[in-house]
Amino acid sequence: MALVTWGLRRRTFHPLSRVLLLKLTVVVISVLLFCEYFIYYLVIFQCRWPEVKTLAHGGRQKPVLKAMFLADTHLLGEIRGHWLDKLRREWQMERAFQTALWLLQPEVIFILGDIFDEGKWSTAQAWADDVQRFQKMFRHGSHVQLKVVIGNHDIGFHYQMSKYRIKRFEKVFGSERLFSWKGVNFVMVNSVAMEGDGCSICSEAEAELREISRKLNCSREHYPLYRASDANCSGEDAVPPEERNVPFKEKYDVLSREASQKLLWWLQPRLVLSGHTHSACEVLHPGGVPEVSVPSFSWRNRNNPSFIMGSLTSKDYAISKCYLPFEDRVLAIYGAAAGFLVFLILAHLDRFSSSFLFGWKLCRMHKRR
């Protein structure tokens, strides 16, 4: 009779275990696919290219250039980079970038400095490894132009930078300072070299800019132009309110007042886009020149990363912001999924306990007889 009871219990328990395992597997796979893949399509699909005036004198349409601007990817290196942190943040940036490429189809992409977190310290081998990871994450077709601006984490601050580090960077990303497409001119400034102390690297950079200034009217940088602080910055991706009145240090947080005035005078830009601060800000400089600070593209630097979408012609431009998935919302989904899994397991254990008690009582009844 005990054998009959065991058979009853086995038939009761095992089918429930297989059903539970199937449920758990479906939930885990579904949540992983959504949080690590589909959520990027869902969020970036809502972004739209801004409209810009395209009619010129005579009724002829001006060609529109679709440009995407992102900043401060800070790929972790071998010194400060934990493997789990690398995996999480780099997967986030890769999926965001590849999804944006597929959905939005930009023609040119600018990364405004600090590509790497440890470029100023990297050995030759570590640099090669970091570059390889970058090229995998930010891969793109030949029809898309990718332009990269030097940042202080790539070559070091002024007192750290060297011709060796600059040449190493330029060997991978090019030494181009002037880029023109569809009548729109871009100047990519090595703002680390705008110290103004007459060093050889600084003198060469200024000479290049003076030469370019004879031709152009549009600028892109890494350091923001001079401003006293972020006191006038607002928005959900601006610096937190408690930090907005902290004074900026010239030549460290922003360019010096003198360097900023030089760039505005030499280049006479219509628009300046910068990185470095990891937060958003819009500033109007003397002469009515607008500057937009682009927030970091990485979850490591902020909960709500984003990038700028620009529709540009030779006469006009329009920009808009595209947010990426918020990290805390993704973590909340994982938390809710974990709670649901616990509920499924407890519900199964409760049913199993009920079945076990029923079988035990049935067994005792048979023994009494």
Side-chain angles (χ1 to χ4, degrees):
M1 191 61 68
L3 291 176
V4 174
T5 304
W6 168 251
L8 174 63
R9 286 173 57 192
R10 183 173 58 186
R11 286 195 299 271
T12 304
F13 174 69
H14 282 289
L16 284 176
S17 295
R18 288 195 293 269
V19 171
L20 175 65
L21 183 60
L22 179 61
K23 288 180 179 178
L24 296 179
T25 302
V26 169
V27 171
V28 169
I29 292 176
S30 299
V31 172
L32 281 173
L33 284 175
F34 179 77
C35 289
E36 304 300 331
Y37 192 81
F38 291 115
I39 193 171
Y40 294 97
Y41 288 90
L42 179 65
V43 172
I44 297 177
F45 179 77
Q46 303 173 55
C47 300
R48 295 289 183 271
W49 289 103
E51 294 186 2
V52 63
K53 297 176 183 178
T54 59
L55 290 180
H57 295 294
R60 294 182 58 187
Q61 283 195 335
K62 292 279 186 181
V64 178
L65 178 64
K66 294 181 178 179
M68 176 173 152
F69 304 89
L70 56 103
D72 296 285
T73 53
H74 283 271
L75 271 69
L76 292 172
E78 64 178 5
I79 299 174
R80 300 196 302 184
H82 187 274
W83 69 268
L84 182 59
D85 198 7
K86 284 184 180 180
L87 177 66
R88 183 70 183 141
R89 275 65 167 119
E90 291 181 9
W91 174 256
Q92 170 257 320
M93 288 191 286
E94 179 177 350
R95 287 314 326 147
F97 184 81
Q98 296 301 326
T99 303
L101 274 186
W102 191 81
L103 287 177
L104 304 175
Q105 299 183 0
E107 297 170 277
V108 60
I109 300 163
F110 291 90
I111 304 183
L112 306 179
D114 284 354
I115 313 307
F116 307 108
D117 194 60
E118 300 176 9
K120 55 189 176 182
W121 301 319
S122 295
T123 63
Q125 185 57 54
W127 172 264
D129 293 342
D130 293 346
V131 167
Q132 186 177 35
R133 286 177 14 245
F134 172 86
Q135 291 173 337
K136 174 184 176 295
M137 293 166 56
F138 294 92
R139 61 191 180 275
H140 56 281
S142 58
H143 62 287
V144 178
Q145 297 275 351
L146 179 63
K147 303 296 179 181
V148 178
V149 179
I150 290 178
N152 61 289
H153 275 264
D154 302 314
I155 62 171
F157 281 102
H158 176 262
Y159 62 90
Q160 294 173 309
M161 70 175 179
S162 65
K163 288 190 175 181
Y164 166 74
R165 291 194 183 99
I166 293 174
K167 293 298 181 185
R168 182 171 70 174
F169 186 93
E170 292 178 344
K171 184 177 180 181
V172 176
F173 300 107
S175 59
E176 190 176 24
R177 296 285 179 267
L178 169 62
F179 173 69
S180 301
W181 198 358
K182 293 187 175 180
V184 183
N185 301 311
F186 301 89
V187 180
M188 293 170 282
V189 179
N190 176 7
S191 50
V192 184
M194 297 301 295
E195 188 79 2
D197 63 353
C199 75
S200 60
I201 296 175
C202 299
S203 298
E204 291 173 8
E206 289 194 13
E208 287 180 353
L209 289 174
R210 282 195 296 268
E211 178 63 27
I212 292 172
S213 71
R214 300 191 181 104
K215 309 173 184 178
L216 301 181
N217 64 348
C218 205
S219 174
R220 302 290 180 268
E221 303 192 57
H222 172 59
Y223 279 175
L225 296 180
Y226 174 81
R227 59 178 183 261
S229 68
D230 270 349
N232 295 322
C233 303
S234 59
E236 60 182 312
D237 55 354
V239 71
E242 63 272 15
E243 299 177 20
R244 290 179 188 172
N245 291 308
V246 176
F248 278 147
K249 182 180 178 182
E250 292 187 43
K251 304 180 182 180
Y252 187 89
D253 298 310
V254 294
L255 286 174
S256 67
R257 191 190 301 265
E258 180 185 0
S260 300
Q261 290 172 346
K262 281 183 179 180
L263 287 173
L264 290 172
W265 183 68
W266 285 341
L267 302 176
Q268 300 180 25
R270 286 183 291 150
L271 173 66
V272 177
L273 288 107
S274 59
H276 187 63
T277 66
H278 300 173
S279 300
C281 190
E282 295 185 17
V283 180
L284 200 62
H285 292 288
V289 179
E291 177 183 3
V292 176
S293 291
V294 182
S296 174
F297 194 67
S298 172
W299 273 346
R300 187 168 183 262
N301 297 319
R302 58 181 313 105
N303 177 56
N304 56 343
S306 62
F307 59 89
I308 296 294
M309 301 168 61
S311 299
L312 306 102
T313 70
S314 59
K315 297 295 183 182
D316 207 350
Y317 69 87
I319 59 175
S320 63
K321 185 173 294 181
C322 181
Y323 284 97
L324 304 182
F326 285 32
E327 185 178 28
D328 60 356
R329 295 177 185 175
V330 173
L331 294 177
I333 294 173
Y334 276 124
F340 183 63
L341 292 177
V342 171
F343 171 77
L344 286 179
I345 294 171
L346 292 177
H348 167 69
L349 291 177
D350 182 63
R351 288 198 299 269
F352 170 63
S353 297
S354 299
S355 300
F356 178 79
L357 289 174
F358 174 75
W360 182 71
K361 289 178 180 179
L362 185 62
C363 180
R364 291 193 63 182
M365 288 174 60
H366 283 298
K367 284 182 179 180
R368 288 174 183 175
R369 291 179 182 177

